[in-house]
Amino acid sequence: MTDNQPQSIILASDVKSYLLDQDLLIFSKHQQRLFRFNTVAAFIWCCLEEKLINQKIIDELIKSFGIAAIQAKQDFEQIVLQWKSIGLLQSEFEITVEHSQ
């Protein structure tokens, strides 16, 4: 992405989410697969559904789960790359995160 605007990650268009107690179920119509996310993964997914920019999601992880900034950034990047590899996210995006203090 060539512009300097903060970017958000786009979910695959064939994916639907369903909240079940503390878990989130994700169904990929194209793959005919169901995924079950834990609380942190569900939180990140919901932030992506709300089209929050990456840095805002990381900030919310820090605030909501009380984790260190570096850990939140690593967790976010790792899960996003995993979701991309299994086809839950749009294929073309960059993980851009502003560096916090």
Side-chain angles (χ1 to χ4, degrees), residues 40 43 47 52 55-73 100:
V40 174
F43 183 88
C47 288
L52 296 181
Q55 186 60 51
K56 178 69 173 164
I57 296 170
I58 292 167
D59 293 343
E60 291 298 320
L61 282 170
I62 294 164
K63 185 168 56 173
S64 298
F65 295 96
I67 58 178
I70 190 72
Q71 185 65 50
K73 181 180 182 290
S100 302

Side-chain angles (χ1 to χ4, degrees), residues 14-15 27-35 86-88:
D14 72 322
V15 176
F27 178 69
S28 171
K29 184 177 179 180
H30 172 73
Q31 297 180 53
Q32 292 293 298
R33 289 183 66 192
L34 187 65
F35 302 89
I86 59 176
L88 297 179

Side-chain angles (χ1 to χ4, degrees), residues 1 28 37 41 49 56 68 84 95:
M1 296 183 186
S28 171
F37 291 173
E49 285 184 328
K56 178 69 173 164
K84 181 181 180 184
I95 300 177

Side-chain angles (χ1 to χ4, degrees), residues 2 6 17 24-27 29 32 38 42 44 46-48 52 61 66 71 75 87-89 91 94-95:
T2 57
S17 62
L24 188 69
L25 300 179
I26 304 296
F27 178 69
K29 184 177 179 180
Q32 292 293 298
N38 65 21
I44 293 171
C46 290
C47 288
L48 291 174
L52 296 181
L61 282 170
Q71 185 65 50
D75 291 350
L88 297 179
L89 303 177
S91 60
E94 292 178 15
I95 300 177

